[in-house]
Structures are given as structure tokens and as C-alpha cells.
Amino acid sequence: MRASLAIIALAGCVHAAVPGRFADRPIVTVSDDARPIPEPGARPYWSKKYLANVLVLRPMWEFFDRRTRRAAGDINAIEEVPDSTWFTNRIGVRNVSPEEAVKGPDVTGPPVLPFTITQAKRRGANPGFIAADARGVAYLVKFDTKSNPGQQTATDAIVGRILWTAGYNTPSGFVVYFRRDQLEIEPKLRAEGTITDATIDAILKVAAHRNDGAIRASASQILDGVPKNGWAHAGRRSDDPNDRVRHEHRRSLRGLRVLSAWLNHTDVKEDNTLDMYVGKPGEGHLKHYLVDFGEAFGGHQDENQQRQIGFEYAWDFENQLKAMFAFGLWYRPWEAQRPSRWKQVGMFNAINFDPHQWRERYPYTPFRMAEPADLYWGAKLVMRFDRPLLEAIVKTGELGDGDAERYVVDTLLARREAIGKAFLDGVTPLDEITLTNNQLCGVDLARRYGIARDGELRVDGATQPIGADGGVCIAVSVAPGYHLVRARIRRHDHTTPALEIHYVGGSKPHVVGLVR
Amino acid sequence: MRSQLIAIAIVTRTLTAAAQPAEPPTPPATPVEAPSEPPPAEDPAPPVAPPPVIALDGDARNFDVRPKGSYVRGSFLVRGIGTGIGVLVRGFIWPFRVLINIEARWHVLSKLRILVNDENTLGIVPTVSFQSAFGLTYGARAFLENYFGGDEYIGLTANRGGSVVKAFQLQAELPRIGSAPIYLKSRLRYEENDNLYFSGIGNPMAETANAMLPVTDTSTPTRFSQTRFLSVLSAGVELHGGGARVRIGGSGIYNDRSFGAAGSSTTDPSIEEGYDTSTLRGFDTGYKNLELTGDIEIDTRDHRGATTSGGVFRGFAGGGSLVGSAHYAHYGAELTYFVSPFWARRTFVGRVAIEGVRDVNNDIPFTELPRLGGAGMLRGYRTDRFRDKLTTTTTLEYHWPIHEFVTGELFVETGKVGRTYDALLGKGFRDNWHVGYGGGLIIHTKDSIKVRFDVAYGEGLEFYLSTDVLNAFHKRDREL
């Protein structure tokens, strides 16, 4: 009997965590990961191996072996991501004007016609080529499919700017129109016969044309530096000493799940990322880019005629096994998915959008490792995008229909609200925390963004109602020394998990660390 | 993508170098005039941004003392069990990871497609198939497909294993002639089989033979061998309209067969140990026959892969002639209908099929008798388990979606054979029905079934891998 009780007690006891202690040091704002490194080789990428790993093998063992889960490693003391070669804080720390967001990463301005083709792009889902504009600036030029004219070109321009505004490195992309006679072939290639007029005509044959015959395309500026292929979905790059955090434990990548869900960017995978070696050989470093956004906004579903994309992985143990044993009695959310009214907009809506259940096409390991604190970080970024900013960005997609533009903006805002509801209260959404005169102040982001209708802050037994703007202050001890308090927000239907606030008291009390 | 990016980089470098505009001429230095007026009162200095605080990647957390305790929630015991299972699973899948790495590095699978051109229109590929109670058949296929742009197909196949000692086949198909909707199909095949199945004629359930059995109305599992030459020629027209596809044509099938005792590889007894083969029409002498039939197919299915509505009717009728001997009639009809009464892709499928032969003096060879059992007609029973002059099958299936390209299915199938219509559907209607039931998975695209895996229980547990179960006469020209 005693032995049984001991086993039960052992099985039932929760492994208690002992809180850490922060150094009283300034909060780190920049990661020093741009140190000179020898130029690494291009990282090999084999799609079959990648897909087998992410679709089947990793989910199998990770389902049982939870040791792979841990807190994000690229964050500072207050749970934010410092600027790095992966991520630059933009909208997360300041207001980004619509003009700045529209400009995005661009420094040269839109392409100047004519294009001189230097290489054909035969692979990939969409046809295209690489061309230099009249100034010699190189672009990857891609086209829409005839079945969905305007869809991929618009989405690429819009989503690229949104992700750049959020803080990610993206190439500069534009929607362009040109006539066939504004395309030339580089004389050397023409002489070699590598690219002929017939090659170009074959590419243009499947591209969408406007009524006046102009060809619509997306022109994505070729990035500076030497490409070294995509970054691994898990682990670190062995030939980059600057790469010190396993990628699946980077908050900047885990939090990208939230932005991807918001934008329905389901085509997140290793070969849609790109490491560029920037700088002279031996003196440069790797900079990490996200590329190829044309299949967001439900374009992936439309292109493949697979409505379950965005709802289930390509091989989804959980949902597809459930469906197998439901014998058809489970009406799955994606079955209600319908194309939008506009061909230039994919299956993009907010009707059945559940941010928790959203799935990228191929399981992306950082997304699957995301913890509530990572999702909160991503949700904070999403919530910062307001209507004027989105309207300005969506216009760059040149959807050619005011109703379609309004629809995309409205959908983004509706999905933004769903994101807020899903992820802000996953932790205690108290932000902008300061200490003054025996008071700890902060902002309840769920109240600020209108996601929560009520709330009171509870800090170690004391409670204080939260104002409509989210602002709240509560008395705490600021006696000299190290303090740790735990804050929660209680709402009518739930209480958020504890937020550890570590601070140092005295004449200038200040926060030294947070644990969400 | 990768090679493209490297190429992009080279191009970028070239272009960037070429794109550098010439340095603009430096403007001549102009003296800066002294301000004539005193400067206005200065605005208060803008706040100076604090200098960035820099740390190595991953060292920004500022922990003096790291928190202790596992990040993973749950008790020690629960986590321990989970980790143990995880490690076991990892060990179990390790060989698969090795295989994947080998494939990723050396592209073994694509190299197995030896001599296949880039367009997949010409080449040689390995083939493999599996049939329950017969085993694995393997070989190679040389093909020319759509090489001339007319969707034409020419294939040369060599196989062994399973029921086949050796088999060679030359096949040619032309789906249309020019713009005319006329199709042509032909096939020449030579094969030697050493373990084909014979279990008597009629409906009896299997029993162990203690003595030589008469071939009719008895059943014991036996095997026999066959040497066969087959020649098939089919032609017709295919018309489309009103959401339907209609095929009307005819077929000529020539067979030259001889039979013998089973090979040594089978576990069932050889046919002469269970039956008096001298009473089995055609066995001892072998035979040659030519069968000519008219064929019709009307197809109104919405999709041929993930079908949710519509139906298919297939029928054939004609006559066979044993060269220099007797004559017989051969006919069959099959109606399959799909209906999704509530949600999309929750589909009920009903099928009725009947096949018969009519001879003059009971002189039709045993291998020309219609058969039941196997993936196409009556799952849950061995291939060719029952045979007689008439067969009928009814099927009810329920399909539901698992994935866009995977459909689950449950089915129940009944069938019987008979010597007369009276025995089959008349006075003997209630007797001798065989029932099989089971389920499986259908892997498909929107417009074609790639493979179908069925597990069925009837006389025993049977497994089937097939491409189209609901097509009773799919392999009619290749049947025994």
C-alpha cells in the first residue's frame, strides 16, 4: 500500500521549477552576430530528405520525446528579440509610417524598362527569368498563372512589405507591366543560344496578360551578396560561428508562425529562406532572408486546388488520423473554404480562421516549437498593423479593384483580431512595464487592442482594475534589493499564466528581467 | 532553386558591377558664406538615443542564475516514459533516416529509372506488383509515351515472380487517330504460370480432398500451370457530350493455352492431386480460341479519381469460337453509381455486375468460365475462387475524405456463381451467396485512382493492391 502510494505520489508530483535571477545590466538591444567569418559554402538542400524529416520522422519522435522543447534562446532580458542579422525591430518598437512600409527594403526605386534577360527560370511553380533593368539593377521576374491573374504578383509585393515592416529581411519587390518588345535578351546569351526568343515566348505564353496586351509580373530585386542557400529548419549552421542559437529555438522564427497564420503564408519551408554572404570574402557575414511570398493569402490553396492547405499539414498525423476514424462524420473546417470573389485574391478569409489550428503546408520546426511567449511576441507585432498602414501596403499589390483591396484589408484586420484573441492571453499580456514611486505600471495589450473587455491586474495578492486603454499601475515594494513578483491578469472567464517580473529597487527602481 | 540562386548570384555580381554608374564629377568647392544674421535660438537638442547594448547571439538574456527545472511540464515519471518511448521511436526510424540520406545524396530512386529521358516520354523502368496468395511480381518495362505528341503508348514488359514464371508483353495504344475520336489498342503476350488457382466449378466452400473430386460442385484449393499466348486488338470511338463520355467499339481476343501440373513453389496441392483433370474441359488438351465482342462504356462520373456523383455502365457481348471446334456466347454488364446525399465526398457507391457464357454442348474450357474472387469481383475471396457459367456481384461502398488525395472506404460485397439463371436469380436466388466485407484506402488525384489498398474478409482475410476495384471487366482481355 505504501509502495503504491509512493508510486502514485511520484507520478503525480509536478517537477517544480526554481526561478532564475537576472543580472542588473542594461537590456541588450543588438545581437553581435555580424562578425566577420570565412565565406561558407552553399548549404546542401535535398527536398526529399527535408520533406521526409519534417513530415514524418521528426513529428514521430518529438511527439514522445519532449526534451526538444525549451524556451527561446535569441531573446533579451525583457523577452524581446534584439536586432540581428535575422531580425531588425521596426514596427515592434516604433511607429512605421505608411510611406516607409511601402518603400520597404527598396533603395533603388522600381525597375526602369526595358528588361534585358540574363537567365531563364525554368524550375519552380511559376515561370520567370532573371533580368536587368535599364539601370543594370537585377531582378527576378515572375508571372501569374493564367487561372489566377494578378494573384501571386500582388501577394508577393504585399506580403514582402508586411514582413519587412514586422522586422524580417526580405527582398524588395514590385508589380510591373511591360510589353513583349520591352524584353531583350543579353547578346552573349543570344549568341550562345542559351536563351532564344522561343524560350521567352514559351515563358510568356503561360503568363497572364492584361486586356491591352501588357504582361503583368513581379520583379523581386536580386539580393546583395553571395547566396548560400536556405537556413536549416532545425539546428545551427556549422560553418557560421555567428549562428549560436538553434533555429528552432529562435523567437524570431517561432513568432513568424503568427505572422504566417495572419497572412495565410503556408509555403514556409527551408527553400523559401535564403542566407546571403554580405561583405568581402573573409570579412563578411551571413544575413538571413525570407523569400517567395506569392502563395500567401490563400494562393497556395488556389494553385493546388487543395482547400485543406492552411488547416492541415500535407501529412497531418493528428487531423488525418482523426478524419480516418471519424468515417466522414466530421465536417472539417476547410471543407467550407470557398474562393474569394476576385481571381487576384486566393482563398483568403477570416471565416474559419483559428490561429491555434492554422497549419503551414510542411511542418516548420520553429513553428512547432513555438511556446505561448513566442506566439505572444508574434501577436504583438501583428497587432501593431493598423488600417492606414495596411491600406498603403495593400495598394502596392495593384490589385486593380478597389473592392478587392478593401476585402484584403478587411480580411487582414479580421484575422488580426483573431490573432489577438488567440495569442495575447496565452501569457499575461502586460507590456511596457515600468517602475516609479512604489508603483509597477504597465499596459494590458488585450485591453489596449480591444480584445478583452475587462481585466484586473493581480500582483502577489494585490489587485488593480485595468483601464479601458489598458494602462494599469499597482503598488509594489521598491525597497533596495532584488525583487521578484508574479503578475496575472484576471478576466471574467479566465486568469492568465503568471508573468515573473524581476526588478531592482532603490532610488531608481527598474526592471531587469521578465519571464513569460 | 539552389542552382538557380547560385546562378543568380553570379548574374548579380556581373550586373551590379555593370550597373555602377560612373562617379559624378565632384562639384567645385564653393566658399561657404558667413551668416549675415546671428543664428536663431537653437531648439532644445533632440533626445539622444541611448547607445545600443550589444551581446553575442544567444547571450542577451542577462541571467546571473539560470532558472532550474525542466521546461517540459509534467511529472518526472510521465516525462521519463515519454522520453523513453521517444528514444525508442528515434532508434526505430534511424534506418529510415539512413535510407533517406542515401536517397537524398545519390538519388537512387531516380537512378532506378534507367534510361528515362527528361520528358518521361521514353525509357525503361522497373515494375513491381503484389497479389494476395500469389506473391510479388517484378520486372521491367520499356515504354514510349506521348513521344510524338499524340498521347500514343508503346510498352514492352518482362515479368517474373508471383504467379508468373516468365511473361513478355508488347502493348500499343492510340487514344485517337489524328483529330478523329477513334481509339486503337493492341497487345501481344506470352506467359508461363506455375501456380494458378483452381478450386472447382460452382459455389461450394472449400474442403480438404480425401479422394479425387469431381470438378463440379466440389471445392478444394489446388494449383496448376499454364503456357499461354494472347493477342488482343480493340478499336472504337470515344465521344464526349452532355457531361458524359461514351465509348463504343469492339475487341478480338485470341488465346492459345496449354496446362499442366503446378510448379513446386506453391503450398497448395497440384490440381491432379485434387481433381480428375480429364473431366476438366480443355485442361489435358489445351485449346485455342478467338473471341469477338462488341463493347460499350457510358461514363457520367464527375471525376474519375475522387468521384462523388454520376455513374458508369459497361457492357460487352459477343461470341467465342474454339478454333476448329465449338462455339459459345460471352456477355457481361456492370452498372456502378455514385451519390453523395449529404456532405461533399461522403459518397455511397452501389454496383451490380453480371457475366455469363452460353455454350452448346458444355464444351467451354474451364478457363473461359466467368469467375469470382479477387480485387475486381468479390473481395474477401481468393482470385478466381469461384467459377461457373454465370456470375453476379453486388457491391455497396461508403467513401469519406481523409485527405485531398486520400479517401477512406468501407464495403460489403456479395456474389455467387450459377449454371443457370434459375439457379442464379430464380428459384435458387436465396442460395449460395458469398459475402465479403472490409475497408481500405484509395490514393487518387482528382481524375485518376493511383492505388487502392483493401483489406477484406470473406472466406479468409485477403489484402489487395489495385488501381480500380469498381471495374469488373477491367482486365477481361488479360484474364485467364
Side-chain angles (χ1 to χ4, degrees):
Chain A
M1 182 65 183
R2 277 185 186 176
S4 306
L5 286 173
I7 290 169
I8 291 166
L10 184 64
C13 83
V14 174
H15 196 77
V18 179
R21 187 183 172 94
F22 288 88
D24 185 7
R25 286 203 293 264
I27 305 298
V28 173
T29 53
V30 176
S31 270
D32 185 12
D33 66 347
R35 295 181 171 201
I37 60 165
E39 184 173 336
R43 204 177 141 268
Y45 171 77
W46 299 303
S47 62
K48 286 174 195 163
K49 179 182 173 185
Y50 175 73
L51 293 178
N53 261 322
V54 300
L55 284 170
V56 183
L57 302 184
R58 283 190 78 93
M60 276 172 74
W61 83 68
E62 283 175 0
F63 179 79
F64 298 103
D65 190 353
R66 313 298 280 186
R67 292 175 305 169
T68 46
R69 308 201 75 85
R70 60 190 55 169
D74 62 340
I75 53 175
N76 62 18
I78 55 169
E79 295 250 0
E80 297 296 337
V81 176
D83 292 347
S84 67
T85 57
W86 297 82
F87 185 84
T88 305
N89 284 283
R90 297 189 182 102
I91 200 171
V93 294
R94 61 183 170 84
N95 288 324
V96 174
S97 68
E99 295 75 24
E100 185 185 358
V102 165
K103 192 167 180 291
D106 172 48
V107 290
T108 60
V112 179
L113 296 173
F115 279 130
T116 303
I117 296 167
T118 56
Q119 187 185 332
K121 172 189 178 289
R122 292 190 178 87
R123 295 189 178 195
N126 297 81
F129 47 74
I130 294 159
D133 75 351
R135 302 163 302 174
V137 181
Y139 293 90
L140 173 61
V141 180
K142 292 197 296 183
F143 303 95
D144 292 303
T145 53
K146 276 193 169 161
S147 57
N148 291 89
Q151 186 180 95
Q152 300 222 3
T153 50
T155 307
D156 200 56
I158 297 168
V159 172
R161 281 172 175 79
I162 289 177
L163 291 173
W164 180 88
T165 305
Y168 294 92
N169 300 319
T170 61
S172 153
F174 301 90
V175 173
V176 292
Y177 291 91
F178 56 84
R179 298 185 311 274
R180 175 66 180 88
D181 60 13
Q182 290 174 308
L183 284 180
E184 295 160 9
I185 298 173
E186 196 177 53
K188 187 182 164 196
L189 294 176
R190 189 186 284 277
E192 287 172 353
T194 317
I195 300 177
T196 63
D197 285 322
T199 316
I200 303 307
D201 290 339
I203 291 172
L204 296 180
K205 193 177 172 186
V206 292
H209 290 59
R210 206 165 55 180
N211 289 341
D212 63 0
I215 303 153
R216 180 185 162 113
S218 73
S220 185
Q221 194 172 340
I222 300 296
L223 297 165
D224 280 342
V226 184
K228 298 298 175 187
N229 286 351
W231 65 71
H233 63 105
R236 290 177 292 156
R237 194 173 173 130
S238 58
D239 51 5
D240 178 10
N242 288 325
D243 188 11
R244 288 161 43 92
V245 178
R246 291 179 69 86
H247 303 164
E248 70 270 35
H249 300 319
R250 286 192 173 276
R251 176 159 294 172
S252 50
L253 299 184
R254 291 177 173 188
L256 179 61
R257 182 195 182 280
V258 181
L259 285 118
S260 300
W262 180 40
L263 305 167
N264 206 12
H265 178 31
T266 51
D267 201 20
V268 182
K269 55 184 179 178
E270 203 166 299
D271 60 342
N272 280 340
T273 65
L274 185 58
D275 283 348
M276 299 297 292
Y277 185 76
V278 290
K280 292 177 185 170
E283 298 173 18
H285 61 273
L286 289 180
K287 192 171 177 183
H288 313 279
Y289 286 87
L290 298 172
V291 295
D292 205 351
F293 318 108
E295 293 186 329
F297 289 170
H300 212 175
Q301 286 98 318
D302 257 2
E303 182 182 88
N304 295 289
Q305 287 297 302
Q306 292 185 44
R307 288 173 297 160
Q308 82 274 16
I309 296 177
F311 294 82
E312 292 175 6
Y313 298 129
W315 182 285
D316 195 311
F317 285 105
E318 182 189 344
N319 287 306
Q320 286 155 16
L321 272 178
K322 212 155 75 176
M324 189 158 90
F325 292 106
F327 299 103
L329 300 176
W330 175 31
Y331 190 78
R332 291 138 90 184
W334 57 261
E335 295 187 63
Q337 282 284 90
R338 296 289 178 271
S340 72
R341 278 171 49 202
W342 300 273
K343 284 192 169 180
Q344 59 270 48
V345 182
M347 281 191 201
F348 189 53
N349 58 61
I351 298 164
N352 292 302
F353 177 50
D354 177 352
H356 284 293
Q357 294 301 318
W358 179 87
R359 299 278 189 273
E360 65 279 12
R361 179 78 175 123
Y362 307 108
Y364 191 54
T365 306
F367 289 9
R368 294 193 306 101
M369 293 290 156
E371 295 289 331
D374 305 310
L375 301 172
Y376 168 75
W377 177 84
K380 268 202 310 182
L381 291 176
V382 170
M383 300 308 289
R384 299 269 298 169
F385 285 83
D386 57 15
R387 181 179 280 277
L389 188 59
L390 290 173
E391 282 176 344
I393 294 174
V394 168
K395 275 202 181 304
T396 63
E398 299 188 27
L399 289 165
D401 184 326
D403 287 344
E405 286 180 358
R406 267 188 298 281
Y407 174 80
V408 171
V409 172
D410 289 345
T411 303
L412 282 169
L413 288 171
R415 290 172 76 97
R416 188 191 76 147
E417 189 171 341
I419 294 274
K421 283 179 180 164
F423 297 134
L424 287 182
D425 269 2
V427 296
T428 292
L430 192 69
D431 223 83
E432 301 170 21
I433 299 168
T434 55
L435 282 154
T436 51
N437 300 331
N438 295 337
Q439 282 199 318
L440 184 150
C441 297
V443 176
D444 173 6
L445 292 187
R447 288 285 281 153
R448 170 183 278 180
Y449 292 118
I451 301 300
R453 281 173 297 177
D454 64 346
E456 60 178 24
L457 179 65
R458 308 179 74 182
V459 176
D460 286 352
T463 61
Q464 186 68 32
I466 297 168
D469 63 350
V472 62
C473 288
I474 195 164
V476 292
S477 166
V478 289
Y482 194 94
H483 298 263
L484 164 60
V485 293
R486 288 184 174 82
R488 296 171 191 269
I489 292 174
R490 182 184 167 84
R491 309 201 196 279
H492 73 283
D493 55 349
H494 68 283
T495 301
T496 59
L499 161 68
E500 283 183 17
I501 303 171
H502 298 244
Y503 65 94
V504 172
S507 59
K508 287 186 177 175
H510 56 279
V511 173
V512 294
L514 300 174
V515 179
R516 292 196 189 274
Chain B
M1 182 75 180
R2 299 282 148 242
S3 57
Q4 214 174 64
L5 289 171
I6 290 162
I8 290 169
I10 295 163
V11 169
T12 316
R13 283 181 157 181
T14 315
L15 292 174
T16 313
Q20 296 301 325
E23 283 276 324
T26 311
T30 48
V32 178
E33 287 184 17
S36 55
E37 292 177 18
E42 285 186 2
D43 290 334
V48 179
V53 180
I54 303 174
L56 278 177
D57 191 29
D59 281 354
R61 198 71 171 115
N62 279 358
F63 273 130
D64 252 355
V65 180
R66 291 193 170 272
K68 287 182 182 167
S70 169
Y71 190 73
V72 181
R73 297 172 185 87
S75 74
F76 178 77
L77 194 63
V78 169
R79 284 187 293 115
I81 292 169
T83 302
I85 295 173
V87 170
L88 282 176
V89 171
R90 216 164 170 158
F92 172 73
I93 63 182
W94 180 81
F96 297 101
R97 299 189 75 192
V98 171
L99 289 176
I100 288 165
N101 278 328
I102 290 170
E103 166 58 18
R105 189 175 287 270
W106 288 292
H107 307 293
V108 179
L109 288 178
S110 54
K111 282 176 184 164
L112 281 176
R113 292 169 62 86
I114 45 177
L115 299 174
V116 177
N117 67 353
D118 289 344
E119 293 76 27
N120 275 338
T121 55
L122 182 67
I124 301 173
V125 292
T127 62
V128 63
S129 63
F130 179 80
Q131 197 178 3
S132 184
F134 291 96
L136 198 68
T137 306
Y138 54 91
R141 178 170 61 95
F143 69 91
L144 184 151
E145 188 167 10
N146 197 24
Y147 188 78
F148 301 107
D151 290 330
E152 74 287 347
Y153 176 84
I154 298 173
L156 179 62
T157 311
N159 289 110
R160 61 180 296 134
S163 64
V164 177
V165 176
K166 57 184 169 187
F168 305 98
Q169 178 172 287
L170 177 64
Q171 185 181 351
E173 293 182 9
L174 199 57
R176 60 182 179 279
I177 297 175
S179 57
I182 298 171
Y183 69 85
L184 278 175
K185 288 182 178 183
S186 69
R187 175 177 306 157
L188 293 173
R189 182 179 175 90
Y190 173 82
E191 65 183 326
E192 293 176 13
N193 315 94
D194 70 347
N195 63 350
L196 299 176
Y197 193 70
F198 180 79
S199 184
I201 296 171
N203 282 301
M205 299 307 287
E207 58 191 66
T208 305
N210 295 318
M212 204 65 79
L213 295 170
V215 294
T216 54
D217 299 326
T218 62
S219 178
T220 189
T222 64
R223 305 277 184 151
F224 65 97
S225 64
Q226 170 191 249
T227 302
R228 176 199 198 190
F229 172 75
L230 166 74
S231 174
V232 182
L233 180 65
S234 303
V237 292
E238 180 172 312
L239 306 168
H240 296 259
R245 182 178 64 92
V246 179
R247 270 190 165 204
I248 301 172
S251 300
I253 305 170
Y254 173 78
N255 267 300
D256 181 350
R257 303 177 192 244
S258 57
F259 307 99
S264 57
S265 61
T266 175
T267 51
D268 291 322
S270 184
I271 191 167
E272 73 280 5
E273 296 172 33
Y275 292 100
D276 177 3
T277 56
S278 65
T279 61
L280 195 57
R281 180 74 184 166
F283 188 90
D284 287 348
T285 58
Y287 67 90
K288 298 172 184 171
N289 76 321
L290 175 66
E291 184 173 304
L292 298 172
T293 57
D295 308 326
I296 185 168
E297 180 175 318
I298 303 168
D299 187 349
T300 63
R301 289 175 292 177
D302 55 350
H303 307 291
R304 297 173 78 177
T307 312
T308 60
S309 65
V312 195
F313 172 77
R314 298 184 183 94
F316 70 93
S321 168
L322 300 188
V323 175
S325 181
H327 307 286
Y328 63 92
H330 189 187
Y331 54 90
E334 178 187 42
L335 176 66
T336 310
Y337 206 79
F338 299 78
V339 60
S340 304
F342 49 108
W343 296 334
R345 286 185 62 192
R346 278 72 168 179
T347 306
F348 290 94
V349 189
R351 176 178 77 151
V352 182
I354 191 162
E355 185 179 358
V357 291
R358 192 171 181 89
D359 56 355
V360 181
N361 297 315
N362 282 331
D363 50 5
I364 189 163
F366 75 109
T367 44
E368 298 302 322
L369 294 173
R371 292 173 294 281
L372 286 186
M377 294 273 266
L378 196 58
R379 284 159 284 180
Y381 297 81
R382 281 187 179 182
T383 303
D384 304 339
R385 170 64 184 81
F386 303 103
R387 67 182 79 203
D388 213 323
K389 290 184 179 178
L390 296 166
T391 68
T392 185
T393 320
T394 58
T395 305
L396 182 64
E397 290 196 359
Y398 168 62
H399 295 181
W400 73 95
I402 294 171
H403 181 278
E404 194 80 7
F405 300 140
V406 182
T407 294
E409 43 108 2
L410 293 171
F411 66 85
V412 60
E413 215 158 42
T414 62
K416 67 187 285 192
V417 298
R419 213 146 300 142
T420 64
Y421 274 104
D422 199 39
L424 192 76
L425 302 170
K427 286 178 186 168
F429 177 74
R430 292 187 175 187
D431 307 327
N432 296 321
W433 286 99
H434 310 289
V435 182
Y437 50 88
L441 297 173
I442 307 170
I443 316 291
H444 55 80
T445 61
K446 199 172 181 180
D447 291 313
S448 70
I449 289 175
K450 296 299 175 191
V451 67
R452 182 172 167 145
F453 175 68
D454 287 279
V455 181
Y457 185 79
E459 196 169 34
L461 195 63
E462 300 283 340
F463 301 90
Y464 305 101
L465 270 178
S466 55
T467 51
D468 193 357
V469 169
L470 298 173
N471 188 345
F473 312 126
H474 178 55
K475 294 184 176 178
R476 185 170 65 88
D477 57 354
R478 281 185 283 172
E479 281 177 352
L480 295 172

